[in-house]
Amino acid sequence: MLAARLPESLGVFARLAYDFACFWRPDGRRLFAEIDSHTWKTCGHNPVRLLAETPGSQLVRAAENSELVERAEALERRLEEEHARPFAYDGSLTPRNPVAFLCAEFGIYQSLPVYSGGLGVLAGDLLKEASDSGLPMVGVGLYYRQGYFHQRIDRTGLQHEYWIDTPPHLVPLALVTDDWGIARTIRVPVRGEEVVLQIWRAKVGRTSLYLLDADRPENSLLGRWTTARLYESDREVRLAQYALLGIGGVRLMRELGIDPAVIHINEGHGSLAAFELAREEVEKGRLTPRAALAAVRERLVFTTHTPVPAGNETYSAEELWRVLPDLPEGVGLEREELLDLGRIHKGDHGEPLGLSVLALRTSRSANGVSRLHGEVARGMWQELWPERDPAEVPISHVTNGVHLPTWMAPPMRRVLDEYLGENWIHRADDPDTWIPVDKIPDEELWNARQAMRAQAVRFIRERSMTDALERGEDLARIEVRGGGMLSPEALTIGFARRLATYKRMHLLTSDPGRYSNFMLGDDPVQIVVSGKAHPLDDEGKRLLTGAAARLENADAIRHRTAFVEDYDLAVATRLVAGCDVWLNLPRPPLEASGTSGMKSMLNGGLNLSVLDGWWAEAFDGSNGWGIPADPAPSEAERDSRDAYRLFDLIENEVLPLFFDRDSSGVPRGWIQLVKASLRTNGPRFCAKRMLDDYARQVYPPND
Ligand SMILES: *Cc1c(COP(=O)(O)O)cnc(C)c1O
């Protein structure tokens, strides 16, 4: 339909627009940008909107550009060839019997805003890697018309939240219909209403992502609201969302004729799927509820991402029966029996149902997302296996990884394409692939780094000027942001992540004297910060306000700091490519994995991080900098000790190394470190290695 509205020769663009694989390649993105670079930017890299909103004259010009059209047709052929390759993982997984990956959020690309942060981006990276590597998988989630919140910071540093409506027909999604063009739907009863859900399909290369959407005329306003916003703050609406994801997710697959060999519950949100699968077995009349749950268990695997008990959501019996009154009867269980499946202590009537506990009790396999997190999770859930020592608790780990084609910026990719050999990207998880990194001439790597930093500085200047204008700052201050703000040559330190208290952004400014000292030293340094505090996290918001003010606490520093509002995939892409040093200061062991540091590493950034999450297994003493995670008498003492170590590292190691240049201006020692970081960590923290771990260790059925 989109093609029918375009000049004929642009039909190929309408087809490419709906394949996300087109957008994890620089040549695909460039094709769309060339149609109208201004609209491409203003519509947030959304190809459907680009084709709908580009002025007619511009479209005609593109249609007459035969070279552009030919390149698009060549890309379409190439993608078709790639999608037609045989699936590489044998065994019980096939396109009819794939892994079904259930997750509350998916971060595929900036044009599909149904993610909030790390969890969703990881889910997106896994689907993309499944497509690249040929593992049969489908993603199952929800379509949130208003997505996650957007952030605005006012003149006093206070965070405000707002939501933008994104109608699904304006994003690269196709409604799943029958032969007559009528939407196929499923129903899930919540709060006494049979909520009707339509299904959107995102084509993620040869992987499909199906998103359930309650915005149907048959539903009440409240029913329709259920899928309006990601992580809606009302607890009952959220529980209803999880019911749609878990129960609806299974019904969706039945409707589409997909019989998953494995259902991968990614974080506890989707864990109600176990009850729906059991209900199906019981309904067939062959199994008792107990036997049904045992059968279901053989198909469920669970990944936990949350190392704090409070982060694992629980619901009281009252809440559960208000939202899902018929749940026990469907499965053939007594209410208390059902609740016990989600309780740490069976029979404790006061204990609520925990979604993670439910997933742990109903899955055949469970894993954390880094080696350290596996250990933390075993300790945290040990009570579920009271007869076992913590080390014997059956929770393993698969360390996260990031999708290399998505996260490696073009300048870096060009250098590695030249030195790592043909198709190196398909062998990115092999350490041997990365050995030639040492042969790259220092100048070439440095030039790529310089180019990426300069691009990021341009982006940040423009964004912070726009942000400042919109919040009504003094024009004099705004002009600083436009011209003198940030230098393409300065050592650029990045800190971008969810601004939860445990991420400790405040460490940066906890010693104002020392902070000013290095910020105002002879060697130019600049700091770029970005991140959102959860709307209900008052403590996080307060810290944000304070830190934002202190970061630019003197006029002399203001032009060397930037806070980029509204952290999202677009911002993350720029910052992980442009920053020289990536900071992560979690309060251990609260960083389950962390993935932004991996993205920075792939772009030749160096990590300076607390030895928590992925960095605890990545840091070898010679590929970045680590702040030890040893215990402290109190959190306050830990904070001041870690701040001290942070400043020591920046002053004594980072700055001298970065500014130690030879006669041609290249920091040889720095580049050596960048090479060590790429060589040691490139193969270990790419999504290919992660997917392979799942395919070998988690997905195969138990013998
Ligand atoms: C990678 C990413 C994250 C997760 O990064 P952490 O290191 O886990 O904080 C969050 N948000 C976005 C947009 C990302 O791209």
Side-chain angles (χ1 to χ4, degrees), residues 115-118 121 407 496-498 503 567-569 572 582 584 591 593-597 599:
Y115 64 91
S116 81
V121 176
W407 291 106
R497 54 197 67 259
R498 197 157 44 86
K503 302 264 195 180
Y567 184 50
D568 66 358
L569 277 174
W582 198 255
N584 194 11
E591 186 74 300
S593 164
T595 49
S596 55
K599 302 167 191 168

Side-chain angles (χ1 to χ4, degrees), residues 95-158:
R96 284 260 145 217
N97 304 108
V99 175
F101 190 80
L102 259 67
C103 190
E105 49 172 308
F106 286 90
I108 308 283
Y109 191 54
Q110 49 177 292
S111 56
L112 183 60
V114 293
Y115 64 91
S116 81
L119 181 72
V121 176
L122 185 86
D125 278 8
L126 193 74
L127 289 191
K128 292 186 238 181
E129 191 58 50
S131 171
D132 286 349
S133 295
L135 182 126
M137 182 180 274
V138 296
V140 176
L142 302 179
Y143 184 74
Y144 311 94
R145 203 161 275 248
Q146 300 188 357
Y148 199 52
F149 77 92
H150 292 272
Q151 174 195 54
R152 173 111 282 165
I153 309 288
D154 71 15
R155 274 186 290 176
T156 68
L158 197 66

Side-chain angles (χ1 to χ4, degrees), residues 158 172 183 235 260 278 402 432 529 665 690:
L158 197 66
R235 289 177 51 83
V402 295
D432 288 347
V529 176
M690 166 174 65

Side-chain angles (χ1 to χ4, degrees), residues 426-546:
H426 299 306
R427 295 176 279 110
D429 57 335
D430 179 354
D432 288 347
T433 302
W434 297 78
I435 289 175
V437 161
D438 283 333
K439 298 223 166 59
I440 302 172
D442 293 351
E443 288 76 7
E444 282 190 46
L445 204 48
W446 179 239
N447 287 342
R449 289 293 319 146
Q450 297 270 77
M452 288 149 79
R453 186 184 324 104
Q455 280 172 4
V457 164
R458 273 199 302 279
F459 169 79
I460 297 161
R461 276 186 189 155
E462 194 179 313
R463 275 291 287 259
S464 38
M465 229 173 139
T466 316
D467 291 346
L469 282 166
E470 289 180 352
R471 82 171 76 97
E473 262 184 39
D474 292 345
L475 287 184
R477 268 180 82 162
I478 293 174
E479 275 160 358
V480 170
R481 293 182 194 275
M485 185 186 184
L486 303 192
S487 152
E489 298 292 334
L491 170 74
T492 306
I493 300 177
F495 183 97
R497 54 197 67 259
R498 197 157 44 86
L499 295 180
T501 318
Y502 83 85
K503 302 264 195 180
R504 297 196 296 179
M505 179 171 72
H506 56 277
L507 292 198
L508 259 178
T509 52
S510 59
D511 184 342
R514 254 185 121 177
Y515 174 68
S516 311
N517 220 24
F518 77 76
M519 288 300 286
L520 294 171
D522 292 338
D523 295 327
V525 188
Q526 56 200 9
I527 292 190
V528 183
V529 176
S530 189
K532 298 169 172 178
H534 189 275
L536 297 181
D537 178 8
D538 289 329
E539 163 92 353
K541 286 193 194 179
R542 204 173 45 73
L543 284 172
L544 167 62
T545 304

Side-chain angles (χ1 to χ4, degrees), residues 28 59 63 116 128 167 198 219 225 245 315 421 437 456 466 509 546 566 608:
L59 280 181
S116 81
K128 292 186 238 181
Q198 58 193 9
N219 297 333
W225 182 256
L245 176 65
Y315 289 92
V437 161
T466 316
T509 52
D566 208 21
L608 194 178

